[in-house]
Amino acid sequence: MSSNETEGIDAEQVTVWLQERADIAPPLSFDLIAGGHSNLTFQVTDTTGRKWVLRRPPLKQVLATAHDMGREHKIISSLAGTDVPVAPAVGLCTDESVNGAPFYVMDFVEGTVVRDLDTAKRLTEAQRRTAGNSTIDVLARIHAVDVDAVGLGDLGKREDYIARQLKRWYGQFEKSKTRELPIVDEVHDLLRAAIPDQGPATIVHGDYRLDNCMVGADGEVVAVLDWEICTLGDPLADVGLLLVYSPDEEGTSATGVPAVTALPGFPTQQEMLDRYQDISGRDLTHIDYYVAFGYWKLACILEGVYARYAGGAMGGGGEAGSFDFFGQQVITIFERAREAARRVG
């Protein structure tokens, strides 16, 4: 597919827009880096080989509020002057006549996204150790940002983060469900009855994990990606979700893919918690709660994806057996949430 035919990109108009904001040598090529149900990410390359990244909403939006380009652009722009590594922002376009939807462009950062076993195995044990430790260090830095000082004080409500999140995702589940799953209600009620007291609000990334970070040649995190559901609230929600995505045991992770972080070199979950506590000074007594919440939230999101597949909203493109497996995997995640919730004392 040529650049002029890339779905989701009006190459001619985007080129004109970008020429006004960056030194480019057209024509530009646009290659989809990441798609699916999240925002679409394109690598933009000019004739000299210089690269940028363009982000826009999915072609068929499901939750419009989850694809706010202005919000993402504001976050990375505000964090640019901090010690949180983000890609430098180039510009935001809210004029939908340019590309059919709002979008923003940022500089391309050289690095590796460790998303699968093959990629992780190409790293040395020392690089894996560095990547795991750096992931924790950067998360602690995110949570240490003075939100008012950087202009993010109005990013969201600060208090009662978990209660609001429980209400939001439970409501989304109720709207999209195609099958009865009593375990969803059971875990929701367990979590709602045991919400820990929230400390001072910080930035909450909302989907922080190794494969939403880009690492450099030495393993250090050079850019944190995918800020689309970032808000203010309880930082320990990020820690709990990171543990959900970082199993110690070989096998499959919460999402059903091979567990990258079980490879030699990556820190264990306990080492991650100890490191975060040492840096942040936060009390992790109730971390089991946040792990349970992380599993439950993830399962609610994935059940919505499953429901759309089951209802044909994704237009086919898969075998019924794979849908059945995905549907069962969602139940497995809810079971992990229940197991963690029952440990909460």
Side-chain angles (χ1 to χ4, degrees):
M1 179 178 286
S2 72
S3 60
N4 289 326
E5 298 172 335
T6 304
E7 191 174 23
I9 296 292
D10 184 319
E12 183 176 345
Q13 296 207 96
V14 170
T15 298
V16 172
W17 179 88
L18 190 54
Q19 277 181 309
E20 298 173 354
R21 292 159 181 83
D23 180 16
I24 67 172
L28 302 175
S29 63
F30 300 86
D31 299 293
L32 185 65
I33 300 173
H37 318 298
S38 183
N39 291 327
L40 304 183
T41 306
F42 296 87
Q43 178 179 299
V44 184
T45 310
D46 73 3
T47 56
T48 69
R50 188 178 173 196
K51 301 174 184 177
W52 297 265
V53 172
L54 183 151
R55 292 263 288 172
R56 60 149 293 160
L59 300 177
K60 295 181 179 179
Q61 291 193 29
V62 179
L63 295 174
T65 55
H67 309 292
D68 186 341
M69 294 296 99
R71 185 182 181 87
E72 279 194 50
H73 179 264
K74 176 181 179 178
I75 291 165
I76 65 169
S77 298
S78 299
L79 292 176
T82 72
D83 59 359
V84 176
V86 291
V90 174
L92 167 72
C93 179
T94 57
D95 181 356
E96 296 191 12
S97 69
V98 175
N99 196 46
F103 67 91
Y104 72 92
V105 174
M106 52 190 164
D107 285 344
F108 183 89
V109 177
E110 291 288 348
T112 301
V113 176
V114 186
R115 185 164 283 133
D116 53 55
L117 276 178
D118 287 341
T119 303
K121 287 177 178 177
R122 288 196 290 270
L123 301 179
T124 65
E125 286 195 26
Q127 287 172 319
R128 291 180 207 146
R129 171 65 61 169
T130 299
N133 287 341
S134 183
T135 302
I136 286 293
D137 296 349
V138 169
L139 182 60
R141 284 187 231 155
I142 291 171
H143 294 161
V145 169
D146 183 332
V147 294
D148 294 310
V150 301
L152 293 176
D154 60 350
L155 192 61
K157 295 180 180 179
R158 304 191 187 204
E159 303 308 319
D160 302 318
Y161 173 79
I162 293 294
R164 289 185 283 108
Q165 286 279 297
L166 286 170
K167 182 178 180 180
R168 175 186 178 183
W169 295 112
Y170 194 51
Q172 291 297 337
F173 168 78
E174 290 292 330
K175 291 176 185 176
S176 65
K177 72 177 182 180
T178 58
R179 54 183 176 164
E180 291 302 318
L181 292 176
I183 191 172
V184 180
D185 310 292
E186 178 189 350
V187 179
H188 170 268
D189 291 347
L190 286 171
L191 293 172
R192 188 174 60 178
I195 299 175
D197 291 336
Q198 178 183 313
T202 71
I203 293 172
V204 178
H205 181 280
D207 196 21
Y208 192 82
R209 58 186 195 263
L210 176 63
D211 62 320
N212 268 343
C213 295
M214 183 170 285
V215 300
D218 58 357
E220 292 283 349
V221 173
V222 292
V224 179
L225 312 172
D226 292 354
W227 294 88
E228 60 191 88
I229 59 174
C230 173
T231 188
L232 304 181
D234 192 332
L236 298 188
D238 274 342
V239 181
L241 187 63
L242 180 58
L243 293 185
V244 165
Y245 280 114
S246 308
D248 294 341
E249 306 84 8
E250 293 183 7
T252 57
S253 69
T255 53
V257 299
V260 166
T261 52
L263 290 175
F266 283 111
T268 65
Q269 289 190 340
Q270 189 58 54
E271 287 172 334
M272 293 168 72
L273 287 174
D274 290 345
R275 191 177 184 94
Y276 180 84
Q277 188 168 41
D278 287 345
I279 298 171
S280 70
R282 290 190 176 87
D283 182 2
L284 300 180
T285 301
H286 301 292
I287 195 61
D288 278 341
Y289 180 93
Y290 295 96
V291 171
F293 170 72
Y295 274 123
W296 182 85
K297 169 187 165 182
L298 175 62
C300 285
I301 294 170
L302 294 179
E303 178 64 16
V305 175
Y306 170 77
R308 293 194 293 277
Y309 269 114
M314 300 306 175
E319 298 179 358
S322 65
F323 295 158
D324 291 343
F325 172 80
F326 186 81
Q328 182 55 50
Q329 184 65 28
V330 173
I331 295 174
T332 299
I333 300 172
F334 277 124
E335 289 172 346
R336 293 185 184 185
R338 178 169 61 189
E339 179 183 347
R342 286 175 173 173
R343 291 199 301 267
V344 176

